């Protein structure tokens, strides 16, 4: 299957650069995955599409302020570090700019010595493994020194870093936000629960590989990056009960979808308490075992994310919906509008 089959024309001005003043002010496109029918509304309308007995699944990961600016201890040269993944303890896989200045043994200091890092391994494409030293608690040091690693297509500065966190974020570890969840407010979540919709939480720590373009010519050649996930016993029980009672499981975002499908695929369509690493790649032809619907944002052309959405709603339906979104001036990507697929 050619990657070009998932291309579409996107005017650059439709890429949302800043969040709306109110989280739930975004527009909502509702796509019928069977007929391809499209309805338009605003995000609070989501309540009218969910029914008592349904279960909404949210990713409660929290984005780390993972971009650090420091200098080489010996020369004072400026170095930018992006934390990608915790390898073990205080050792992290990172991306470095400019990578050529950082070799094995190089010491980098941040915040007048509040934090130091030693390069312990060189990898390809600017990757470096760093071991960090500090006093106190690492995440507290990171909060004081780090910046939010906004996606490369966002050029504006973010005034309030909490706007790149969901209101339900609690498990620190992501390099990017699960952006479909950014639309929710406490009021909307409470209203859904009062209606009889269950709300469940999983965790998948989003890696920057989520923004990596698909460079292969065919879909099947693309290799997904691995990301850490976990599901509690309580969430597994709630999801199994929802299925047993005939309710629908609606995932919020591609990250929740990949977690649910990873676990359900391993356990014959059921859910268990579990944690691990997933590199599941969902594209047309995939048979869904966990979800009945999905809330998601509008994604990059030829990305693994639009392939996942197409596997649920059909490539032709999705591309037609995206053409409609462009003509109707929907806002795209992380701070953009939402699509509900049922």
């Amino acid at each position: 299957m050619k990657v070009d089959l998932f291309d579409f024309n996107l005017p650059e001005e439709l890429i949302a650069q800043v969040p709306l003043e109110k989280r739930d002010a975004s527009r909502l496109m509702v796509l019928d995955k069977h007929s391809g029918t499209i309805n338009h509304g605003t995000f609070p309308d989501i309540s009218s599409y969910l029914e008592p007995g349904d279960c909404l699944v949210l990713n409660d990961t929290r984005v780390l302020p993972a971009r650090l600016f420091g200098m080489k201890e010996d020369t004072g040269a400026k170095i930018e570090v992006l934390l990608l993944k915790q390898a073990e303890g205080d050792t992290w896989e990172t991306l470095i700019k400019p990578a050529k200045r950082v070799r094995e043994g190089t010491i980098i200091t941040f915040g007048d010595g509040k934090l130091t890092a030693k390069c312990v391994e060189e990898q390809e494409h600017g990757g470096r493994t760093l071991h960090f030293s500090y006093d106190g608690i690492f995440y507290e040091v990171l909060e004081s020194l780090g910046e939010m690693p906004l996606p490369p297509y966002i050029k504006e500065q973010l005034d309030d870093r909490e706007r790149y966190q969901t209101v339900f974020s609690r498990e620190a570890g992501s390099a990017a936000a699960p952006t479909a969840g950014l639309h929710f407010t406490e009021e909307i979540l409470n209203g859904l629960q009062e209606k009889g919709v269950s709300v469940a939480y999983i965790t998948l720590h989003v890696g920057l590989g989520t923004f990596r373009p698909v460079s292969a010519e065919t879909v099947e050649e693309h290799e997904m990056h691995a990301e850490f996930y976990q599901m509690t016993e309580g969430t597994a029980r709630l999801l199994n009960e929802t299925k047993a009672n005939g309710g629908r499981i609606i995932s919020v975002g591609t990250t929740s979808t990949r977690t649910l499908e990873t676990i359900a695929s391993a356990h014959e369509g059921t859910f268990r308490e579990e944690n691990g690493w997933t590199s599941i790649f969902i594209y047309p032809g995939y048979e869904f075992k966990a979800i009945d619907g999905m809330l998601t944002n509008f994604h990059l052309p030829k990305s693994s994310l639009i392939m996942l959405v197409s596997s649920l709603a059909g490539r032709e339906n999705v591309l037609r919906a995206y053409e409609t979104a462009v003509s109707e001036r929907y806002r795209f990507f992380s701070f953009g509008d939402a699509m509900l697929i049922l």
Side-chain angles (χ1 to χ4, degrees), residues 133-293:
S133 302
Y134 52 90
D135 290 326
I137 298 169
F138 181 73
Y139 289 127
E140 290 182 358
V141 176
L142 200 58
E143 285 287 341
S144 69
L145 298 178
E147 293 184 6
M148 280 297 174
L150 293 177
Y153 46 74
I154 292 178
K155 311 302 181 188
E156 297 289 328
Q157 284 289 106
L158 184 63
D159 294 331
D160 177 7
R161 65 165 62 177
E162 280 302 308
R163 291 306 306 274
Y164 196 56
Q165 305 279 14
T166 62
V167 297
F168 45 83
S169 65
R170 57 185 176 219
E171 299 291 337
S174 268
T179 54
L182 295 177
H183 306 280
F184 285 94
T185 62
E186 296 286 359
E187 291 75 20
I188 286 180
L189 289 171
N190 290 338
L192 288 171
Q193 289 174 295
E194 288 170 7
K195 182 177 179 176
V197 176
S198 300
V199 176
Y201 296 95
I202 55 88
T203 303
L204 181 134
H205 292 321
V206 189
L208 283 183
T210 192
F211 302 121
R212 188 181 300 149
V214 177
S215 55
E217 286 189 14
T218 64
V219 172
E220 294 82 358
E221 289 177 283
H222 178 64
E223 289 187 16
M224 290 291 287
H225 54 287
E227 295 168 317
F228 179 80
Y229 71 88
Q230 57 188 5
M231 176 181 287
T232 65
E233 192 273 334
T235 290
R237 184 173 62 249
L238 178 56
L239 292 171
N240 287 328
E241 288 172 357
T242 299
K243 273 195 175 291
N245 294 331
R248 297 178 299 176
I249 293 176
I250 314 297
S251 59
V252 175
T254 57
T255 61
S256 296
T257 300
R258 294 176 67 240
T259 303
L260 294 171
E261 291 297 326
T262 294
I263 296 171
S265 295
H267 304 295
E268 299 181 344
T270 62
F271 303 96
R272 297 184 189 176
E273 178 180 7
E274 188 170 283
N275 64 71
W277 294 85
T278 181
S279 55
I280 190 171
F281 182 20
I282 298 174
Y283 55 87
Y286 177 83
E287 185 176 330
F288 283 86
K289 302 160 190 70
I291 70 167
D292 302 289

Side-chain angles (χ1 to χ4, degrees), residues 10 15-16 153 179 297-301 331-337:
L10 177 65
I15 300 173
Y153 46 74
T179 54
N297 282 16
F298 292 91
H299 303 295
L300 281 161
R331 302 167 79 244
F332 276 69
F333 306 161
S334 297
F335 291 136
D337 295 314

Side-chain angles (χ1 to χ4, degrees), residues 307-322:
M307 293 171 191
L308 187 156
V309 173
S310 297
S311 67
L312 180 63
R315 185 184 70 89
E316 291 182 359
N317 286 340
V318 168
L319 289 180
R320 190 160 50 245
Y322 271 54

